[in-house]
Amino acid sequence: MSDHFLPIDVLDDLRNVLDDMDDWQLDPAGWADVDTLIERVASSLAAGATDEFRDAVAYLGWSGPTKVKSADSGTTGKQPPKIREKVTRLKDTLESPKQSGQGKPNGESGGR
């Protein structure tokens, strides 16, 4: 894990998107895109790559269901188990203060 701190606002955006995904109904291609984006989010989070993380979270949020659906997009469905597992792992990662850029636990300093 990198020592970079990731922006709190983007971490909050990610938490909100992950929570909203429980209600998403996407076609198989949509879920495949989400799967790829979750991998991008997870790898940029682990690397502390701020710009990549910000972009991946934005794209993930935009990949959600839209009001307009093409006739040939196929049937929609809830989150596949594979994606649900990845979302759960990502949520668990966000709970870790060091991973989420929240800094050190109370009482610890940055040390100089």
Side-chain angles (χ1 to χ4, degrees):
M1 156 69 206
S2 171
D3 290 330
H4 295 94
F5 290 97
L6 297 168
I8 300 298
D9 62 322
V10 182
L11 290 164
D12 288 341
D13 289 346
L14 176 58
R15 286 181 185 99
N16 291 334
V17 169
L18 294 175
D19 287 342
D20 290 347
M21 285 176 64
D22 287 340
D23 297 324
W24 288 7
Q25 295 278 331
L26 300 175
D27 62 23
W31 284 119
D33 290 342
V34 166
D35 188 31
T36 300
L37 289 168
I38 288 172
E39 292 294 329
R40 282 183 56 196
V41 167
S43 64
S44 60
L45 176 64
T50 304
D51 291 338
E52 291 85 357
F53 179 70
R54 185 180 304 275
D55 290 347
V57 169
Y59 285 123
L60 183 61
W62 296 330
S63 69
T66 59
K67 294 180 192 269
V68 178
K69 182 179 135 182
S70 69
D72 63 344
S73 64
T75 59
T76 60
K78 285 209 165 262
Q79 220 176 64
K82 173 178 126 179
I83 292 177
R84 186 177 320 279
E85 182 180 310
K86 288 180 180 184
V87 167
T88 300
R89 268 196 313 254
L90 196 49
K91 284 180 177 181
D92 290 346
T93 299
L94 290 174
E95 294 303 313
S96 165
K98 188 171 183 180
Q99 278 290 88
S100 65
Q102 302 295 319
K104 297 180 191 260
N106 290 337
E108 291 186 28
S109 67
R112 267 196 186 233

